[in-house]
Amino acid sequence: MARVEERRGERPGRMFACVRVFLGIPVVFLGSGASPASEEQLQRVELVAADRTFVKPANQIQQPEDVGLAYFDSLLKVGFLQDAEECQSSSGEVTTCKMHDLVHDLTRQILQDEFLSGIAATDQIMGCKYLSLISCTGEVDSKLFDKVRALYISRSNIAFDKTTNHPYCVRTIILDCIRAASLSLFISKFELLGYLEISNVNCEELPEAISHCWNLQAIHVISCERFAIVPESIGKIKKLRTLELVDAPKVRTLPQSIGGCDNLQSLYIHDCRLNGIPNSVANIGKLRVFSIVFCIGLRQRQVEPSWCPLQHLPQLITLLSHLEYIDLKNCCLLEELPEGIGNLKMLQVLNLQGCQKLCGLPAGFGELTRLQKLGLFVVGDKTEHARISELGNLGKFSGKLRIKNINYVKDPGDAEKVHLKKKNGIRNLSLDWYSREKNGACFVVRTEEVSLLDMEKDLDLLNYLEPPSDIEKLRISGFRSSQLPHWMTKKSSSNDLSDIHMLKQSYLPQFSSLSKLVLENLPNLVHLQGLKDLPGIKIFKLRVMPKLEFLTTATGLAKGDNEHEVQYCFPHLSTLVISDCSKLNVKPHFPLSLRELTLEGNNEQLLSSDSFLCPRPAHCDVSSPSSCIVDVKPPHITQLKLGGLIGSSSGWELLQHLNGLRELEISMCKELRELPESMRSLTCLQKLDINWCDSLVLPEWLGELQSLQRLRIIGLPLMSSLPQSIQSLTSLQDLYIYY
């Protein structure tokens, strides 16, 4: 059984280096114990694109990443892999899955004596090609390695029975959780080694003897916390194609001799603390993949005075004409890119996502006509910075793009030249007028007065920055106009019911794929009236919009129409976040499809019952319309978060209508003295989190919440003890209290 991690947004080519190495050989003994399902034996196979030997696009439009993902999906569909799950890691969104037990058993059956687990008997040695030693100790017969091609050692302390100069034929070694002193022994014994992976080993450096491994093509050092030094002798390994250092926080630099690795094609430095890149990297003419990810060193509040995080890339990197892939994700202290980066004509990926300090991109950036992934474009305020119009030369964009500092665009005509709506590969788009600064979870709100000219300029800019029609996620931040752009509003203003009916039958919404919309820090927007129908919206977030007065969720109810004639603006909306929209009212009610609701800041007006009750028109007496009986029903909200609300809980009437609520979080409500009585009706509540409410004391009736399974209390300074009634919470499984 194997575990596979597919990293979204990264090139999947190393997938095939790993498929070649792992699926053909070691994947068999990655789960090589008595039970292939043993969680302790699950190992990681990363999908990163680098090897075009296996990734062959069918045409120029198709990308290696797409091919790799298609291969991965095929393995899932045919059952080779199973139980795919999405999760988050430091490198972003990750898919984990497992090799099917039957595939594992079949592979073991096919290999038979070619694969051994543990120190074997003499009669088994002769045919052994793939050897796995897990939790083994003692001496190992040197004959065992005579025909072994792939070796996996984990949590073992072994020794060779005698000294021998006989060259072993091992090509692949994976060392996990072994003693650091043993590392030199293994490397010195296997001169023909081609693939070396070291993980969770308490070593400070690679041994100098590694230079004797003349056939070594791939080195991977993973999660070695004390590892700090790549030896100068690495420059002697002329066949080295891949060097990867992951989660090695003591690594500060690479040796200048790295420039001697003439065949190096892929350099991965992830979760390290580099203070710079040696200029000799420019001598590696075959380098195609240059990935420096999460090298920020900000995990500790205080860093060593001698250490300076990565802020610049060497100018000479622009001479690497074969570079296709540069990944600088989350290098958040990187301030600038070298001038002349437009010379990298082969560049297809330049991932700048999370580079918060980047002030602008160099002029000439638009010459990267093969670029397909960028992540971040920063509009600069200096003449040496690229203008936003240079994005217009890049027609093959795909995936995620954030355009920052749009307020620096002087001529709205430059935004028109971007032709953003024609870049159909973009699925996730963020348009930021300013640098989106954060202080904890709070955005920096800009309160300066805005002139009419600035408002008109912003409207022109956003009109020109129309997203492609297939966009899936859209965020707009800092836009200062009081109007929505034309592409967000309905075109038809006809009041004729027959015309409206015809439009419904023939008109396909322009943004039918849009599932997430975020509008934040729009200081002058008063209403969202005329907003296009967005039938696919599932997540809607409104933040820091102090003048916004109402959000319309349905039309037709005010006229007494039958229920089937009511038009819902967000029929599939499941998650709604409203933060610091002090004048906002939801009309006529919150959507019935709503499952998760978050109210933050000054939004107490939304806690009344009126916003939560949906009237259902009943049959009326035609002669007396006033005799109609109107039924009401609340939305089926299962998760509610209330944060930073002002005042007492006396107006929290909504809770009495949320009978299906499963999770409730109340945080940062400084003036809250008691929980509302309406909470007593939450008979289905399973999780209750109360955080940092300075004036709150828990009530005695808390024990009436009989379905409660988790209770977490953080930062309630006035609470001296729990209510006695907590003993009645017989379903409680998790109780966490922190002051």
Side-chain angles (χ1 to χ4, degrees):
M1 194 172 194
R3 179 179 179 182
V4 180
E5 285 190 359
E6 170 198 353
R7 296 178 185 265
R8 301 284 181 185
E10 296 183 8
R11 296 171 60 97
R14 223 195 106 211
M15 162 188 182
F16 296 99
C18 291
V19 166
R20 178 177 59 203
V21 175
F22 284 90
L23 297 185
I25 304 174
V27 102
V28 178
F29 58 69
L30 289 182
S32 59
S35 170
S38 174
E39 190 68 26
E40 294 181 357
Q41 297 162 16
L42 298 183
Q43 297 294 317
R44 182 168 69 101
V45 180
E46 298 177 346
L47 308 184
V48 187
D51 196 338
R52 290 181 180 267
T53 304
F54 293 88
V55 183
K56 294 186 179 297
N59 50 56
Q60 291 183 350
I61 298 177
Q62 193 176 31
Q63 301 308 312
E65 179 179 2
D66 300 327
V67 179
L69 294 179
Y71 289 167
F72 178 78
D73 291 338
S74 295
L75 292 175
L76 281 173
K77 290 177 181 178
V78 300
F80 189 97
L81 303 173
Q82 65 178 11
D83 299 338
E85 295 182 359
E86 300 286 341
C87 62
Q88 292 291 327
S89 75
S90 62
S91 299
E93 192 172 332
V94 167
T95 299
T96 63
C97 61
K98 301 175 181 178
M99 178 183 284
H100 198 287
D101 290 3
L102 294 178
V103 177
H104 172 275
D105 294 343
L106 175 63
T107 311
R108 291 288 301 271
Q109 180 63 31
I110 293 173
L111 291 177
Q112 293 186 1
D113 290 344
E114 291 187 10
F115 166 74
L116 290 180
S117 176
I119 300 176
T122 305
D123 57 352
Q124 294 178 295
I125 290 176
M126 298 303 296
C128 176
K129 292 184 179 180
Y130 315 119
L131 175 62
S132 172
L133 302 177
I134 300 177
S135 300
C136 295
T137 58
E139 289 188 349
V140 178
D141 189 342
S142 60
K143 294 181 180 179
L144 185 62
F145 298 101
D146 285 346
K147 294 187 177 181
V148 169
R149 295 297 183 270
L151 175 63
Y152 174 69
I153 301 178
S154 177
R155 300 186 303 278
S156 297
N157 183 14
I158 63 174
F160 293 93
D161 59 344
K162 60 182 178 180
T163 302
T164 177
N165 294 323
H166 178 66
Y168 296 117
C169 298
V170 176
R171 299 296 195 273
T172 299
I173 293 183
I174 302 176
L175 304 174
D176 175 57
C177 296
I178 67 166
R179 292 188 306 112
S182 303
L183 184 59
S184 179
L185 173 65
F186 286 111
I187 290 178
S188 62
K189 289 286 185 181
F190 305 110
E191 293 184 1
L192 301 180
L193 190 62
Y195 179 96
L196 173 64
E197 179 176 316
I198 304 168
S199 61
N200 300 296
V201 177
N202 200 23
C203 60
E204 296 182 357
E205 60 182 321
L206 291 174
E208 288 286 340
I210 199 170
S211 62
H212 300 308
C213 299
W214 57 270
N215 191 48
L216 194 57
Q217 299 175 39
I219 300 176
H220 304 272
V221 180
I222 301 170
S223 298
C224 297
E225 294 186 357
R226 295 185 61 189
F227 185 83
I229 300 174
V230 178
E232 286 286 342
S233 60
I234 197 170
K236 299 178 181 179
I237 309 176
K238 298 301 182 180
K239 288 191 176 183
L240 189 65
R241 296 178 58 186
T242 301
L243 174 62
E244 179 183 38
L245 307 177
V246 175
D247 196 14
K250 291 187 178 296
V251 172
R252 297 293 186 268
T253 187
L254 298 175
Q256 286 289 342
S257 64
I258 192 74
C261 298
D262 302 330
N263 289 291
L264 190 66
Q265 297 182 19
S266 302
L267 177 61
Y268 300 92
I269 313 292
H270 293 196
D271 290 281
C272 300
R273 297 181 180 177
L274 289 181
N275 59 17
I277 306 295
N279 289 330
S280 62
V281 169
N283 299 328
I284 311 174
K286 296 182 180 180
L287 192 65
R288 293 191 299 109
V289 177
F290 182 74
S291 182
I292 311 294
V293 173
F294 229 104
C295 293
I296 56 176
L298 296 182
R299 292 182 176 177
Q300 298 177 353
R301 187 171 297 272
Q302 295 181 348
V303 297
E304 301 171 22
S306 61
W307 171 67
C308 178
L310 183 65
Q311 296 180 344
H312 306 278
L313 294 179
Q315 181 69 37
L316 293 175
I317 201 172
T318 60
L319 302 178
L320 296 174
S321 58
H322 288 84
L323 265 181
E324 299 176 10
Y325 181 93
I326 297 179
D327 192 350
L328 302 172
K329 181 179 179 181
N330 289 330
C331 291
C332 68
L333 296 182
L334 184 68
E335 296 178 351
E336 59 183 14
L337 296 179
E339 295 181 8
I341 199 168
N343 297 330
L344 302 177
K345 305 299 184 182
M346 303 294 291
L347 199 63
Q348 298 177 25
V349 173
L350 176 57
N351 189 3
L352 301 176
Q353 184 180 345
C355 296
Q356 301 173 8
K357 293 286 188 179
L358 205 59
C359 302
L361 301 184
F365 178 82
E367 297 178 17
L368 301 175
T369 54
R370 295 195 179 192
L371 199 64
Q372 297 152 21
K373 292 194 175 181
L374 178 60
L376 173 67
F377 182 89
V378 183
V379 181
D381 61 346
K382 299 179 180 179
T383 55
E384 59 265 28
H385 289 150
R387 299 171 67 173
I388 195 173
S389 57
E390 295 199 40
L391 281 173
N393 300 331
L394 315 177
K396 300 179 181 180
F397 268 146
S398 62
K400 184 175 182 179
L401 176 64
R402 178 188 173 197
I403 304 177
K404 189 175 77 168
N405 291 346
I406 298 175
N407 64 302
Y408 286 149
V409 177
K410 297 179 180 179
D411 181 4
D414 283 351
E416 184 180 16
K417 296 175 184 177
V418 175
H419 303 298
L420 198 57
K421 67 179 180 180
K422 295 182 180 180
K423 303 185 188 303
N424 296 321
I426 297 176
R427 293 292 180 264
N428 187 335
L429 177 65
S430 294
L431 300 174
D432 288 352
W433 260 249
Y434 301 93
S435 296
R436 191 166 56 125
E437 304 168 8
K438 285 187 177 182
N439 180 12
C442 301
F443 292 95
V444 176
V445 183
R446 298 181 181 271
T447 58
E448 67 268 17
E449 292 294 326
V450 181
S451 67
L452 288 176
L453 287 177
D454 286 337
M455 293 171 65
E456 291 176 1
K457 174 189 169 185
D458 280 12
L459 182 58
D460 289 340
L461 285 169
L462 195 52
N463 277 328
Y464 289 137
L465 293 174
E466 178 179 346
S469 58
D470 292 332
I471 195 75
E472 296 174 1
K473 298 178 181 180
L474 175 63
R475 185 177 62 81
I476 301 173
S477 177
F479 174 65
R480 297 172 295 178
S481 177
S482 59
Q483 304 177 49
L484 293 172
H486 67 80
W487 48 266
M488 291 187 72
T489 56
K490 297 177 182 178
K491 294 181 180 179
S492 174
S493 58
S494 173
N495 293 322
D496 189 284
L497 292 178
S498 61
D499 289 346
I500 294 176
H501 180 72
M502 290 296 294
L503 281 171
K504 286 183 180 180
Q505 296 296 322
S506 61
Y507 175 67
L508 181 65
Q510 180 181 4
F511 300 111
S512 57
S513 300
L514 188 64
S515 62
K516 181 178 180 179
L517 177 61
V518 180
L519 303 176
E520 62 189 21
N521 201 5
L522 310 186
N524 298 306
L525 199 64
V526 177
H527 59 76
L528 297 174
Q529 189 173 5
L531 185 68
K532 278 184 182 288
D533 293 333
L534 301 171
I537 285 286
K538 296 180 180 179
I539 302 174
F540 195 10
K541 298 183 179 182
L542 301 171
R543 291 192 174 112
V544 195
M545 302 172 68
K547 294 184 180 181
L548 186 65
E549 294 181 353
F550 59 87
L551 172 66
T552 302
T553 60
T555 59
L557 287 174
K559 302 176 182 179
D561 295 343
N562 291 328
E563 187 174 5
H564 67 274
E565 294 181 352
V566 175
Q567 183 177 359
Y568 293 100
C569 303
F570 312 104
H572 301 294
L573 186 65
S574 60
T575 301
L576 178 62
V577 176
I578 300 176
S579 176
D580 291 311
C581 300
S582 57
K583 296 183 179 180
L584 179 62
N585 284 288
V586 178
K587 298 294 183 181
H589 52 75
F590 283 101
L592 292 177
S593 58
L594 197 61
R595 296 295 178 267
E596 300 178 12
L597 175 63
T598 299
L599 301 177
E600 298 172 337
N602 191 8
N603 290 302
E604 293 76 14
Q605 75 283 0
L606 295 174
L607 297 175
S608 66
S609 298
D610 294 342
S611 299
F612 280 82
L613 297 181
C614 170
R616 293 187 294 184
H619 293 288
C620 301
D621 185 347
V622 178
S623 61
S624 179
S626 61
S627 64
C628 292
I629 300 176
V630 180
D631 190 12
V632 295
K633 58 179 179 180
H636 302 292
I637 295 177
T638 59
Q639 184 181 98
L640 176 64
K641 295 182 180 180
L642 304 175
L645 300 183
I646 300 173
S648 68
S649 62
S650 59
W652 295 15
E653 303 170 9
L654 79 157
L655 293 176
Q656 62 185 320
H657 304 293
L658 305 182
N659 297 327
L661 194 65
R662 298 289 191 274
E663 301 181 24
L664 174 61
E665 178 181 318
I666 302 173
S667 61
M668 304 297 291
C669 297
K670 302 296 185 180
E671 300 178 13
L672 186 65
R673 297 181 180 276
E674 58 184 9
L675 296 178
E677 289 283 331
S678 53
M679 277 185 60
R680 303 174 76 166
S681 62
L682 302 179
T683 55
C684 296
L685 191 65
Q686 297 176 1
K687 297 179 181 179
L688 175 60
D689 289 13
I690 304 176
N691 307 322
W692 309 111
C693 297
D694 295 347
S695 304
L696 182 64
V697 177
L698 297 181
E700 189 60 40
W701 52 257
L702 191 66
E704 297 177 15
L705 305 178
Q706 293 293 305
S707 299
L708 205 61
Q709 298 177 11
R710 185 185 81 181
L711 175 60
R712 296 194 175 185
I713 303 169
I714 300 176
L716 302 188
L718 298 184
M719 188 186 73
S720 57
S721 62
L722 292 171
Q724 289 293 326
S725 62
I726 198 172
Q727 302 178 40
S728 303
L729 299 177
T730 55
S731 299
L732 194 64
Q733 301 174 10
D734 181 2
L735 176 60
Y736 180 85
I737 303 174
Y738 175 79
Y739 285 97

